[in-house]
Amino acid sequence: MLACAVGVITAIGCQTHRNFSETVSNDTSSIDAIMQMVDAGAPAITFPDASTAPRTVRSIDDFASLQYRDMSLQETIHTALQHSQVMRDLGATILRAPQTVVTDQTKSLAELDPQTSIESALAAYDAQFYALGKWQNNDRRFNNRFFGGGANAFKQDTHDYVFQLSKRTATGAEFAVRNVIDYDANNATGNLTDSAWQSQIHAEMRQPLMQGGGLQFNRIAGPAAQPGIYAGVLIAKVNNDITSAKFRQGARDYISNVINAYWDLYFAYRDLDSKRDALERSRETWQNYEAQKSSNRKAGASEAFAREQYFRFQSELQDAVAGKLIQRTQVNNSTSGGTFAGQGGVLASERRLRLLIGLPISDDALIRPSDEPLNAPMTFDWDSISVEAIRLRSELQQQRLLVKRREMETLAAKNFLMPTLDLVTIYRVRGLDKDLAGDNSAFNQLGTLDYQEYEASLELKLPVGFRQGYLAVRHAKAQLARELAVLEEQERQILHDLSAVVGESDRAFTQMETNLNRYLAARDALQILDANRAAGLPVNLEQLLDAQRRVTEAQSRYFLSMVEYTVAAKNVQFEKGTLLQTANLFLVDESTSPVLLTESRNGASSVPDDAS
């Protein structure tokens, strides 16, 4: 019977304590060890590998002689995913607000939350076992025999035992099966026996007929819900889906930042090439005019102009090697996917890429991009990409889920406009005898079902005016109206941002063609001037120096517009919610936490599927 189940349940319950000494005993060795570290200021236990000193512009003698590690964009993304326990960004959020950082545990934390998860909501319907044992001895005198059971001195020993198993249902009902055993031994003169055992079996049901009842309310709000506090299974499911969408958003932003940093580094190398070529040209010009100055064939001013240009290009080359600590291309700098910043600096850009993809901040070899930017024209089908953006963007998915949650909360709130009316029924079987078990015992009489009882009742509770209920409904409707308004504005914002990056893509492509023509024209002009000078024809020095500057600037602008075009094309995929698919990535939702994996196709396509 229920008494037998007590031992089984108790034994099972004890097995759940993996370390009994750490749960209920007075052994404080574990917490003492932790507090020793706290009192010591929580010193570092391990240190990351920082054996390689960072490269700087002063520590590099010959940039061309360094070791390089050529990496494709696909390999860079693979490397990032292998070290993506934390979805890194370039704003040091991990230091400023570490609790907001998306990690590979984000979804599992939501699924394992003991207060708001689906399992937590389901736990309200778990069967509950309750047991009570009570022992009492009474020894007293009475002035009236009536109160002492026929005697002035009353002595009594009592035992009370209760074993109950209860469970809630999805309709709001609560069922309970209860075994009540009591033992009474006293000296009352009217007793049949000196002591007696009584055993009862109760079957009880409490069903809410109005407020708190019904499948819809309990699935939304959960049992014993309060106005404005809804924690049912369906609400938990929506919250879990919102967390999944946030994880996808974090993964998308992370991959976007990796791609941005990759093309930042590509441009840094190309910008370095143009500055290095410019420095070499200016050195030759300076040496030529310096030789002419020593032979008194040219005035010293010409040599000084050429020397100034040389050191100007040397300064620009130093910046192209080292870079400056300023904001680079990253998510949400002017556009959601990141507007190309156009800042050079190989060492700074390489460190940023290493930070994002999880490699040591400094190494023996410098990372060097091996992929080339886009240079083919693309035309986007606006009807198609606008529909994709509204359908696939993570932010809109989260907001639409929030709207659905508010709709469910509105339905649940209307339940509080009804009074509380509960139907309570109890069926009871009794047995009484001198012994608890065996022949002529309470259990034996209980089994005969000779003594049966039944009772039913209705309990009504009606708040006059339903003030709180009406507040709950109005509040839920106001929240729903707000979320719908936010959703509408989010859709308008996303369409605006999508149209902006489509326009940016066309602008960057046009600029790429224009800057290519500009570079070719500047190069032709410089070649003509160099040819005239080599032939001994008179050449205007200022015109020559200006032509050298123009070639360098035009070459750098051409590569800049190429990268701008590539980043803009990536941002179109970002805005319409297909960046992960375009990079051949998909989410695998395992038992607890989702992870990013790559498909077995070759390469991360830079050309959108809906572009021609």
Side-chain angles (χ1 to χ4, degrees), residues 44 83 130 175 206 229-230 252 374 379 476 480 559 584 604:
H83 305 88
Y130 170 80
F175 292 90
R206 175 181 289 270
I229 303 176
Y230 312 105
R252 177 206 64 190
L374 292 176
T379 302
L480 175 59
F559 286 116
N584 295 333

Side-chain angles (χ1 to χ4, degrees), residues 87-155:
M87 303 299 176
R88 308 172 189 88
D89 64 7
L90 297 174
T93 305
I94 193 67
L95 297 177
R96 294 184 293 101
Q99 58 271 35
T100 65
V101 174
V102 178
T103 72
D104 60 3
Q105 299 296 325
T106 295
K107 190 168 185 296
S108 62
L109 285 173
E111 292 178 346
L112 300 175
D113 192 303
Q115 298 296 328
T116 62
S117 65
I118 297 177
E119 290 296 319
S120 173
L122 290 174
Y125 301 98
D126 289 348
Q128 303 291 325
F129 179 78
Y130 170 80
L132 168 69
K134 180 181 177 182
W135 303 268
Q136 183 175 346
N137 175 264
N138 296 313
D139 189 359
R140 64 191 67 173
R141 292 179 61 83
F142 293 98
N143 190 40
N144 190 305
R145 289 177 176 267
F146 174 78
F147 295 106
N152 293 105
F154 181 72
K155 294 185 178 182

Side-chain angles (χ1 to χ4, degrees), residues 352-505:
R352 289 162 64 87
L353 182 59
R354 284 180 173 274
L355 173 67
L356 282 174
I357 65 178
L359 292 181
I361 303 302
S362 57
D363 204 345
D364 294 333
L366 287 177
I367 297 174
R368 183 169 59 186
S370 60
D371 286 357
E372 292 295 324
L374 292 176
N375 56 16
M378 291 185 298
T379 302
F380 294 97
D381 179 4
W382 175 254
D383 292 338
S384 174
I385 65 175
S386 60
V387 169
E388 280 188 297
I390 298 300
R391 183 170 60 90
L392 299 177
R393 275 296 289 269
S394 256
E395 294 88 344
L396 293 183
Q397 291 177 347
Q398 295 173 46
Q399 188 64 23
R400 285 194 291 264
L401 287 169
L402 187 55
V403 167
K404 296 306 176 186
R405 192 178 82 183
R406 299 305 187 199
E407 290 176 353
M408 290 191 290
E409 290 174 353
T410 302
L411 291 174
K414 294 178 180 179
N415 185 270
F416 293 103
L417 296 178
M418 295 184 294
T420 300
L421 180 63
D422 293 352
L423 170 65
V424 182
T425 62
I426 301 177
Y427 171 75
R428 187 182 301 111
V429 180
R430 293 179 179 271
L432 175 69
D433 216 317
K434 184 175 182 179
D435 297 322
L436 178 62
D439 295 335
N440 301 319
S441 65
F443 282 166
N444 186 46
Q445 189 178 84
L446 184 72
T448 63
L449 303 180
D450 289 340
Y451 301 95
Q452 303 182 39
E453 300 174 348
Y454 176 78
E455 68 178 76
S457 62
L458 286 173
E459 298 180 6
L460 176 65
K461 181 181 178 181
L462 187 142
V464 178
F466 291 96
R467 186 193 302 268
Q468 191 175 32
Y470 279 112
L471 282 175
V473 173
R474 292 170 62 188
H475 183 261
K477 288 183 177 179
Q479 284 187 314
L480 175 59
R482 178 193 180 278
E483 305 306 342
L484 286 170
V486 170
L487 177 61
E488 182 179 352
E489 286 303 312
Q490 284 182 333
E491 291 173 347
R492 294 182 70 250
Q493 182 68 46
I494 284 175
L495 289 179
H496 165 272
D497 294 346
L498 180 62
S499 63
V501 295
V502 170
E504 169 64 12
S505 174

Side-chain angles (χ1 to χ4, degrees), residues 327 330-336 338-339 497:
Q327 188 180 56
Q330 62 190 60
V331 169
N332 293 323
N333 69 327
S334 300
T335 60
S336 300
T339 299
D497 294 346

